């Protein structure tokens, strides 16, 4: 009989854990791949005695396998798979009560901003938005009521970085420690592991790179503390924000090739970022792998790679941006990111439309901003696609 794989065995590499953690062969059938346990309930052996599962809202073996795998990849002990990335966010915010305060990195996904401002403020939970790359701003925003610091790193869509270790130190040295939650969707645990840098909680939209094929909606919450995990698990079970077993199966399938895909995403993204930085029709490029990025040195320190998302501002504002996003052939105009197909997005009218213009524009989310989710197609083909559409934005030179 083969040895059972332990999710805590650090001698195994990342890709090995992605393939094996939580995914031992089925003991009853020998099935190599974790089955889809498509059931709503489980039969008890007798009253008060079950085989570890009783009702599928609370537990499901396919979901358990995904949760154990994701926790292992983040270097943590506990994982919760959620119905969506925003469901994962909601589970974490359920830790708070009326009167609590949250410090938030200002360049935050529009759906998170909408949840915080239009839903949770009604329950007297208060939010202060700051530039999380500025440690002084983080510290100054903390009040006696602050219970949580929420950051994305890299951020969506401007790819700013926050010094996770330094912010964790700020949170931990308070008289009453403040929890730090990091949205690690863009970097993934292959390129960055916030819990190893001192974060208390990590969230993911598994819709993105972890599943990697644009075919599910899902989320995850990861932590190391047993008491915190039990509390989060209680809130999830109470609200029912759980994924179905087929989505968990697809996410597990995607995670197996995460490392391979991300290396190709990053290679293409670096190629495209360098091309855009030298293009005359481009005002600004955002990519942490460029030496011109303001946190390039930090990226090299806390990340093992720079990811597959590139954002840039095209000259000509909204009209030029509209021309670009409506004219590409390989880059598909769509929400989301992190799949094998390249996507193009206009944040001001799509992902970040919930953020008022007077709030988003000072942050840099201007009408000319375009976000690219770089897929794993041939890099030269992607470059040709961008080259052809950027040529359409060039103003003709008129004779004097």
């Amino acid at each position: 009989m083969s040895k059972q794989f332990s999710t805590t065995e650090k001698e195994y590499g990342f890709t090995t854990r992605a393939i094996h953690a939580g995914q031992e062969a089925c003991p009853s059938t020998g099935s190599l791949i974790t089955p889809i346990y498509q059931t709503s309930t489980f039969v008890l052996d007798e009253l008060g005695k079950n085989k570890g599962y009783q009702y599928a809202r609370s537990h499901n073996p396919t979901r358990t396998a995904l949760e154990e795998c994701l926790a292992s990849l983040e270097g943590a002990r506990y994982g919760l798979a959620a119905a969506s990335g925003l469901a994962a966010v909601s589970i974490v915010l359920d830790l708070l009560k009326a009167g609590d305060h949250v410090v938030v990195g200002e360049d935050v996904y529009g759906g998170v901003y909408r949840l915080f401002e239009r839903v949770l403020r009604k329950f007297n939970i208060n939010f202060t938005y700051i530039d999380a790359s500025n440690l002084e701003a983080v510290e100054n925003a903390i009040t006696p009521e602050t219970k949580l610091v929420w950051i994305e790193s890299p951020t969506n869509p401007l790819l700013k970085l926050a010094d996770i270790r330094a912010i964790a130190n700020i949170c931990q040295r308070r008289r009453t420690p403040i929890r730090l939650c990091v949205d690690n969707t863009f970097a993934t645990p292959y390129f960055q592991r916030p819990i190893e840098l001192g974060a208390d909680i990590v969230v993911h939209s598994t819709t993105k790179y972890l599943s990697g094929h644009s075919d599910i909606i899902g989320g995850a919450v990861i932590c190391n503390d047993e008491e915190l995990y039990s509390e989060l698990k209680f809130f999830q079970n109470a609200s029912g924000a759980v994924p179905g077993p087929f989505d968990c199966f697809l996410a597990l399938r995607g995670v197996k090739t995460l490392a391979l895909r991300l290396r190709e995403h990053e290679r293409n993204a670096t190629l495209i970022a360098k091309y855009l930085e030298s293009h005359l029709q481009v005002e600004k490029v955002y990519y942490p792998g460029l030496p011109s990025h303001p946190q390039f040195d930090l990226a090299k320190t806390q990340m093992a790679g720079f990811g597959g998302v590139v954002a840039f501002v095209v000259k000509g504002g909204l009209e030029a941006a509209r021309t670009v996003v409506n004219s590409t052939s390989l880059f598909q105009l769509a929400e989301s990111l992190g799949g094998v197909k390249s996507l193009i997005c206009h944040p001001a009218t799509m992902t970040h439309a919930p953020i008022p213009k007077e709030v988003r524009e000072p942050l840099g989310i201007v009408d000319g901003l375009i976000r690219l989710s770089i897929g794993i197609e041939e890099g030269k083909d992607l470059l040709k696609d961008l080259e052809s559409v950027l040529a359409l934005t060039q103003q003709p030179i008129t004779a004097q």
Side-chain angles (χ1 to χ4, degrees):
M1 180 178 292
S2 61
K3 174 187 174 185
Q4 186 175 14
F5 187 93
S6 170
T7 59
T8 61
E9 292 186 48
K10 296 292 186 180
E11 70 267 22
Y12 291 115
F14 183 93
T15 302
T16 302
R17 285 182 284 127
I19 293 169
H20 290 277
Q23 301 166 77
E24 292 79 22
C26 176
S28 58
T29 66
S31 171
L32 177 67
I33 299 299
T34 303
I36 303 169
Y37 288 90
Q38 196 69 48
T39 182
S40 61
T41 193
F42 300 84
V43 176
L44 277 65
D45 293 333
E46 59 184 62
L47 195 61
K49 183 180 179 182
N50 59 49
K51 294 181 173 64
Y53 298 92
Q54 185 160 322
Y55 188 59
R57 187 188 69 245
S58 302
H59 300 92
N60 176 283
T62 315
R63 193 164 91 227
T64 298
L66 176 61
E67 291 170 340
E68 290 182 1
C69 183
L70 294 181
S72 176
L73 296 184
E74 283 286 2
R77 297 171 62 198
Y78 304 106
L80 289 173
S84 68
L86 280 170
V89 177
S90 296
I91 292 166
V92 175
L93 271 292
D94 282 341
L95 294 166
L96 306 179
K97 65 182 187 304
D100 285 347
H101 174 252
V102 184
V103 175
V104 187
E106 61 188 1
D107 179 17
V108 69
Y109 168 53
V112 171
Y113 181 89
R114 178 177 55 212
L115 175 66
F116 288 0
E117 291 299 310
R118 299 188 63 183
V119 178
L120 296 173
R121 275 199 189 270
K122 295 192 299 183
F123 300 99
N124 196 27
I125 296 173
N126 300 303
F127 302 90
T128 298
Y129 297 86
I130 47 86
D131 179 358
S133 66
N134 183 336
L135 296 177
E136 185 177 356
V138 175
E139 190 136 28
N140 290 342
I142 292 174
T143 73
E145 289 74 38
T146 303
K147 300 297 186 294
L148 181 69
V149 172
W150 183 282
I151 60 173
E152 297 176 8
S153 187
T155 62
N156 180 10
L158 297 176
L159 299 155
K160 289 184 182 178
L161 303 187
D163 189 330
I164 297 171
R165 191 184 300 279
I167 294 176
N169 288 336
I170 291 172
C171 293
Q172 291 164 5
R173 69 170 180 255
R174 313 296 293 192
R175 179 173 297 178
T176 302
I178 299 165
R179 284 173 172 150
L180 171 61
C181 182
V182 178
D183 186 331
N184 200 31
T185 298
F186 272 36
T188 80
Y190 182 64
F191 283 147
Q192 179 176 266
R193 286 181 286 280
I195 285 177
E196 294 178 0
L197 297 171
D200 300 287
I201 306 170
V202 169
V203 296
H204 283 279
S205 171
T206 58
T207 309
K208 312 302 194 300
Y209 287 106
L210 293 178
S211 66
H213 293 79
S214 303
D215 54 9
I216 71 161
I217 297 292
V221 184
I222 314 292
C223 69
N224 236 351
D225 181 82
E226 184 175 6
E227 185 176 346
L228 174 59
Y229 166 74
S230 297
E231 197 172 1
L232 292 166
K233 178 66 179 174
F234 171 83
F235 290 134
Q236 181 188 36
N237 187 53
S239 65
V242 300
F246 187 46
D247 284 346
C248 293
F249 173 86
L250 290 175
L252 269 174
R253 183 195 63 177
V255 165
K256 289 178 176 64
T257 60
L258 178 63
L260 304 177
R261 288 185 285 106
L262 279 174
R263 289 197 286 268
E264 197 65 16
H265 284 300
E266 183 190 33
R267 185 170 73 163
N268 280 343
T270 301
L271 179 72
I272 287 170
K274 290 178 178 178
Y275 165 76
L276 291 171
E277 194 171 42
S278 64
H279 201 286
L280 295 177
Q281 292 302 113
V282 174
E283 289 183 2
K284 190 174 182 64
V285 179
Y286 301 93
Y287 184 63
L290 291 175
S292 59
H293 191 284
Q295 290 103 37
F296 177 63
D297 289 337
L298 175 62
K300 291 190 297 181
T301 301
Q302 74 179 17
M303 300 175 70
F306 306 113
V309 177
V310 177
F312 69 99
V313 178
V314 64
K315 293 179 180 178
L318 180 59
E319 288 308 309
R322 180 181 285 116
T323 297
V324 171
V325 302
N326 286 343
S327 305
T328 52
S329 298
L330 292 177
F331 284 91
Q332 304 291 297
L333 179 58
E335 304 263 1
S336 199
L337 58 102
V340 293
K341 284 188 174 182
S342 293
L343 301 179
I344 191 166
C345 167
H346 184 245
T349 59
M350 295 173 69
T351 56
H352 289 67
I355 302 177
K357 186 171 183 177
E358 63 272 17
V359 175
R360 64 172 172 78
E361 283 203 334
L363 302 178
I365 308 173
V366 296
D367 286 343
L369 180 71
I370 294 170
R371 189 189 73 187
L372 302 175
S373 172
I374 313 299
I376 61 172
E377 301 94 339
E378 291 285 343
K380 61 181 177 59
D381 295 330
L382 296 175
L383 282 179
K384 186 185 300 183
D385 195 18
L386 289 175
E387 187 174 16
S388 65
V389 297
L390 285 170
L392 299 175
T393 69
Q394 294 175 4
Q395 298 298 314
I397 300 173
T398 57
Q400 297 296 319

